[in-house]
Amino acid sequence: MNNKFIVISGPCVIESEDITRIIAEKLKLELEPFIKSGAVDFYFKASFDKANRTSINSFRGPGIEEGLNILKRIKEDYSFKIVTDIHEPYQAALAAEVCDILQIPAFLCRQTDLLVAAAKTGKLLNIKKAQFLAPWDMSNVVKKVRDSGNDKIMLCERGTTHGYNQLVVDMTSIMEMHKNGCPVIFDATHSVQKPGGNGTSTSGNRDYIPYLAKAAVAAGADGLFMETHVDPSKALSDGPNMININDIPALLSQCIAIREIIECQNN
């Protein structure tokens, strides 16, 4: 891992190849100055399947075959590194043919077979801390992956369950998870979710994203995960807690400035 600020961003799910390309094109335009200057290490994220939707009637995505083909074309056409979620062990090897990072969803971070399969691909893994786990419990997750022969691990803070339909973020969890010797990413968008808050879908409050993102960077986060869309109100998954693409450059500039201050204080 290099010392660049890691940015993982893209739509929650592949809604269609057209809208995924529109989002990719816009992200390339908005983030090009940060990428060219070497300020960030950027990864484009989109899911081929959202297997954990609230309702059985919710949109899930195009599936693994079509989804990975779309991500492969996005990778080639925009020169992006790619991140996607996997939910079952058999998906690990298939996704590894296209993706640079395999992401383990929070609800599945204790699934041993999934972790072992992902580890055996040799890919960098971004493992989300479960909403029900204490940050120090992630040491067991890290050990499963390392004992499976892979030390390329990032851990991701995305909030902790606090009562019904409510998440809170304990910024000390970033420091706790750093004790595992892994970079820690902050998921600034899922942290403002209200799981199941709309009855048959998740709600959230995107207004809190900038405040939590900046606080996480000040607490030592090595990067940000931010799901985004050109029109979050029309997104087919997690729209209420997405950040509009137009708002990313200003927030990213502020976060990089905060990181530089922290690094100066530490040196």
Side-chain angles (χ1 to χ4, degrees):
M1 297 292 295
N2 57 46
N3 196 40
K4 292 182 181 178
F5 191 66
I6 299 161
V7 176
I8 301 172
S9 191
C12 178
V13 66
I14 299 170
E15 300 177 4
S16 68
E17 182 160 358
D18 287 345
I19 188 60
T20 305
R21 284 185 172 276
I22 289 170
I23 294 169
E25 183 75 33
K26 182 71 170 174
L27 276 172
K28 190 172 183 67
L29 176 66
E30 296 289 359
L31 298 184
E32 192 75 13
F34 299 98
I35 297 170
K36 281 190 172 181
S37 69
V40 304
D41 185 15
F42 176 70
Y43 296 82
F44 181 82
K45 181 269 171 186
S47 299
F48 55 79
D49 180 24
K50 298 300 292 183
N52 59 348
R53 297 300 306 276
T54 304
S55 169
I56 196 170
N57 297 315
S58 297
F59 179 80
R60 288 182 53 166
I64 189 166
E65 183 176 355
E66 182 182 350
L68 288 176
N69 284 334
I70 291 171
L71 290 175
K72 183 178 180 181
R73 290 191 287 271
I74 293 291
K75 182 175 188 173
E76 292 170 349
D77 293 347
Y78 296 97
S79 299
F80 282 157
K81 290 178 286 187
I82 300 292
V83 182
T84 200
D85 308 283
I86 57 171
H87 295 84
E88 300 182 59
Y90 85 90
Q91 296 175 342
L94 295 172
E97 294 178 6
V98 174
C99 300
D100 301 274
I101 295 178
L102 301 184
Q103 183 163 276
I104 307 299
F107 286 130
L108 301 178
C109 75
R110 287 175 45 133
Q111 296 297 103
T112 301
D113 290 346
L114 181 63
L115 291 170
V116 171
K120 288 183 175 179
T121 66
K123 291 289 184 176
L124 176 59
L125 307 184
N126 186 37
I127 307 173
K128 292 195 169 186
K129 179 184 73 66
Q131 301 91 325
F132 50 84
L133 284 185
W136 42 86
D137 291 332
M138 290 299 285
S139 62
N140 296 314
V141 175
V142 171
K143 189 174 189 304
K144 287 181 182 181
V145 175
R146 286 178 172 155
D147 286 355
S148 301
N150 191 339
D151 195 35
K152 293 184 282 188
I153 305 165
M154 301 191 301
L155 300 178
C156 185
E157 169 60 44
R158 52 94 70 238
T160 301
T161 299
H162 184 78
Y164 300 121
N165 305 124
Q166 185 67 47
L167 299 174
V168 297
V169 179
D170 178 0
M171 293 300 172
T172 66
S173 70
I174 294 171
M175 293 171 272
E176 287 290 339
M177 289 196 288
H178 266 141
K179 294 177 181 178
N180 294 290
C182 306
V184 177
I185 308 301
F186 179 65
D187 184 341
T189 48
H190 287 100
S191 291
V192 301
Q193 271 187 340
K194 294 183 181 295
N198 282 334
T200 58
S201 64
T202 290
S203 63
N205 189 340
R206 69 175 62 92
D207 292 343
Y208 297 154
I209 293 171
Y211 302 100
L212 291 179
K214 287 180 280 190
V217 175
D222 300 288
L224 292 175
F225 176 104
M226 296 183 287
E227 286 186 341
T228 190
H229 201 281
V230 289
D231 187 351
S233 67
K234 295 181 179 178
L236 299 183
S237 177
D238 276 354
N241 51 264
M242 278 187 179
I243 186 170
N244 191 297
I245 287 181
N246 296 327
D247 296 331
I248 290 179
L251 175 58
L252 192 52
S253 293
Q254 293 170 349
C255 288
I256 290 171
I258 292 169
R259 185 173 189 247
E260 289 173 351
I261 293 170
I262 300 301
E263 289 181 337
C264 287
Q265 290 176 338
N266 292 336
N267 290 331

